Amino acid sequence: MGSTDGGNLQELLDEQAVYYGAVAPEYERHALPFPGASELPAALDAFGPVGSVLELACGPGTWTAQLLRHATDVTAVDASREMLAIASTRVGGDDRVRFVAADLFRWRPERRYDVVFFGFWLSHVPPERFVSFWSLVADCLKPDGRVFFVDDSYRTADELIEGEQSVTIRRRLMDGTAYRIVKVPHRPADLERQLERIGWRITVHPTSGPLFWGAGGRA
């Protein structure tokens, strides 16, 4: 899968951040009824994200609420203040949650956590930032910390404005406004091997649809 033109990468990431702020009020209306969707929350419950949990790219708080069923406390980070406002409303002012507005490509943790979780975020990390993103995850974890993530590999023909080999796609708001974002269609087996090469032992499980989830820790 091709990488992004380095000269335009930051511009693309900035546009992606603007998109997620703009799409926040209608985000859940874009959700598709993928086969296998029910397998993801069940897998997270089975994983048991206990202790202090860091949620990267928390979005509208869909997963934050589920994490709170297990966690002692949750720090939820997102670049979009619009998303964070929705997430805060969703969790109802639970004082176990701390919301942080920050660009994940620049943010650094103030402490370490028992679990790092991210939902539908890894596919928006460009290939050039894959290693540095996982270095960030390592910096966020306690020595015996664990990781859990969910994602999908779904891209429509209309989104593929630069062809199937490009990780740059186009997403539209309901009013038709278009934005370019990153969408890397990871394949579970390939992703597992890629993580192993950079020092992680994470099992990536496909579902009965285009969704997948991963769980594990550092090797």
Side-chain angles (χ1 to χ4, degrees):
M1 186 61 59
S3 61
T4 310
D5 180 348
N8 297 321
L9 179 57
Q10 189 56 53
E11 180 183 331
L12 175 60
L13 293 176
D14 290 344
E15 188 170 338
Q16 176 170 268
V18 171
Y19 166 73
Y20 277 102
V23 80
E26 60 188 52
Y27 179 77
E28 294 185 354
R29 294 165 65 191
H30 291 266
L32 296 173
F34 286 130
S38 63
E39 298 171 42
L40 301 180
L44 179 56
D45 280 337
F47 172 83
V50 297
S52 290
V53 176
L54 173 65
E55 182 180 10
L56 301 176
C58 68
T62 307
W63 297 97
T64 315
Q66 184 174 354
L67 293 170
L68 285 167
R69 298 210 297 260
H70 303 269
T72 304
D73 57 82
V74 175
T75 298
V77 184
D78 201 282
S80 167
R81 293 184 182 276
E82 294 87 351
M83 287 287 194
L84 290 173
I86 295 169
S88 179
T89 299
R90 184 186 295 274
V91 302
D94 192 315
D95 60 10
R96 293 177 296 152
V97 185
R98 180 171 71 102
F99 291 105
V100 178
D103 178 350
L104 288 179
F105 296 111
R106 297 184 174 96
W107 178 78
R108 289 295 175 266
E110 299 172 350
R111 49 170 292 206
R112 292 179 182 264
Y113 298 83
D114 298 297
V115 172
V116 173
F117 170 87
F118 36 101
F120 300 99
W121 169 247
L122 186 59
S123 59
H124 300 305
V125 175
E128 299 93 328
R129 301 291 179 90
F130 184 86
V131 173
S132 61
F133 171 72
W134 282 97
S135 178
L136 168 65
V137 174
D139 289 343
C140 294
L141 282 175
K142 293 179 179 179
D144 58 348
R146 300 182 298 151
V147 175
F148 190 98
F149 60 83
V150 302
D151 218 313
D152 72 87
S153 57
Y154 184 78
R155 309 190 304 175
T156 68
D158 177 63
E159 292 175 335
L160 299 175
I161 53 175
E162 297 182 4
E164 290 188 5
Q165 295 307 307
S166 175
V167 301
T168 302
I169 68 166
R170 176 180 58 201
R171 288 268 172 91
R172 294 185 183 275
L173 302 183
M174 291 191 165
D175 67 6
T177 306
Y179 295 86
R180 295 175 308 136
I181 70 168
V182 175
K183 183 66 177 181
V184 182
H186 291 292
R187 295 173 178 166
D190 293 340
L191 178 57
E192 195 172 291
R193 287 191 290 268
Q194 192 175 1
L195 289 168
E196 184 178 5
R197 286 196 296 269
I198 60 172
W200 293 89
R201 185 177 292 114
I202 293 178
T203 303
V204 184
H205 303 262
T207 68
S208 54
L211 306 161
F212 55 87
W213 57 273
R218 283 167 290 188

